[in-house]
Amino acid sequence: MLFFTQCFGAVLDLIHLRFQHYKAKRVFSAAGQLVCVVNPTHSLKYAPTRCAAAQASTEPGILPPCPHHEAVHDPQLVPCMCPLFSCPWEGHLEVVVSHLRQTHRISILQGAEIVFLATDMHLPAPTDWIIMHSCLGHQFLLVLRKQEKYEGHPQFFATMMLIGTPTQANNFTYRLELNRNQRRLKWEATPRSILECVDSVISDGDCLVLNTSLAQLFSDNGSLAIGIAITTSKVHSSEAEI
């Protein structure tokens, strides 16, 4: 009975995913855009994170934690920056994409313009939706997070991170656009490097920020479609317009 119950649940999940993908393709196929349906994941990383620990250790009067061993840290190694988990992995920047795909099963979509369809927006915070976007010879990480910056008032934060150095990130401009019911909301900015902390970007508000009522205006049956476009640009600007 348990076996058949689990199988039946998996079939229902598959049917739901296919239905969401069909709806998205029907809406956006006319524009020739690729659609990726992204299911939510409850983050396991809201205990003190590496970024928070690193920032705290640099504050005056706070000493960094004593290491358990005297291993020499290779400065060329970077920690896992996946926002979902406190992952102990370290590696070179060139293999970050392989780690995210193989270990954390993060999907990757290729194309100049894509649509990021986040499902189940009604789930309680904290919740994350994540996808990788391959474009212009580079890989980008799009993070959409539902989080309470103030108790009882959840907000949605969307940002694009380049899997590369800050110098490389300055060569690109990304655009996030929501368009529904004769309303349009657009955010355009320079992506941040994945070497920076996603949590810091969100806390600083240097990203697309939506409150619950605004997100509902652009959602369709609990799903939020975000158009993504990346271009090369030497002129950097950040704007939000509606």
Side-chain angles (χ1 to χ4, degrees):
M1 288 293 293
L2 179 62
F3 173 77
F4 284 108
T5 301
Q6 291 177 341
C7 289
F8 184 68
V11 170
L12 286 180
D13 290 341
L14 180 59
I15 293 174
H16 175 71
L17 181 61
R18 294 286 295 178
F19 177 69
Q20 292 285 352
H21 185 70
Y22 169 75
K23 286 201 309 178
K25 287 185 67 177
R26 185 181 59 186
V27 173
F28 296 102
S29 59
Q33 294 175 304
L34 297 175
V35 178
C36 183
V37 179
V38 184
N39 292 321
T41 303
H42 285 284
S43 177
L44 304 177
K45 195 181 175 181
Y46 288 92
T49 63
R50 287 183 173 208
C51 298
Q55 291 170 355
S57 66
T58 60
E59 294 179 1
I62 300 179
L63 298 177
C66 298
H68 296 287
H69 53 82
E70 296 182 355
V72 179
H73 176 71
D74 186 345
Q76 295 184 342
L77 296 180
V78 296
C80 175
M81 291 299 178
C82 180
L84 295 176
F85 307 100
S86 295
C87 177
W89 178 88
E90 287 185 331
H92 292 277
L93 193 58
E94 294 79 10
V95 294
V96 169
V97 173
S98 298
H99 169 72
L100 292 176
R101 294 195 68 183
Q102 295 173 9
T103 303
H104 300 297
R105 305 299 182 186
I106 296 180
S107 302
I108 186 168
L109 199 63
Q110 300 183 2
E113 295 187 8
I114 65 174
V115 174
F116 176 97
L117 184 66
T119 66
D120 301 323
M121 303 293 295
H122 61 277
L123 291 178
T127 305
D128 289 311
W129 295 260
I130 298 178
I131 191 178
M132 282 192 292
H133 181 191
S134 179
C135 181
L136 301 175
H138 289 76
Q139 282 73 40
F140 300 82
L141 191 70
L142 176 68
V143 179
L144 173 64
R145 175 173 298 171
K146 184 178 184 180
Q147 180 176 322
E148 290 187 356
K149 287 199 73 173
Y150 307 100
E151 187 175 356
H153 298 280
Q155 293 177 300
F156 293 89
F157 304 86
T159 186
M160 182 74 77
M161 312 286 289
L162 171 72
I163 303 180
T165 65
T167 302
Q168 291 174 321
N170 287 333
N171 295 323
F172 297 95
T173 298
Y174 76 94
R175 185 180 73 247
L176 305 179
E177 185 171 330
L178 293 85
N179 191 351
R180 187 173 181 271
N181 292 336
Q182 298 181 341
R183 298 179 179 88
R184 176 174 295 181
L185 178 67
K186 181 172 69 174
W187 167 268
E188 187 171 309
T190 300
R192 304 283 283 271
S193 167
I194 199 172
L195 299 178
E196 304 178 58
C197 185
V198 177
D199 297 335
S200 298
V201 175
I202 290 176
S203 0
D204 294 342
D206 186 17
C207 55
L208 174 63
V209 182
L210 304 172
N211 58 31
T212 305
S213 59
L214 192 57
Q216 288 176 349
L217 284 177
F218 290 97
S219 65
D220 180 18
N221 292 326
S223 297
L224 186 68
I226 304 177
I228 307 170
I230 301 176
T231 57
T232 55
S233 176
K234 294 184 179 179
V235 179
H236 311 301
S237 63
S238 176
E239 63 178 5
E241 61 186 34
I242 186 168

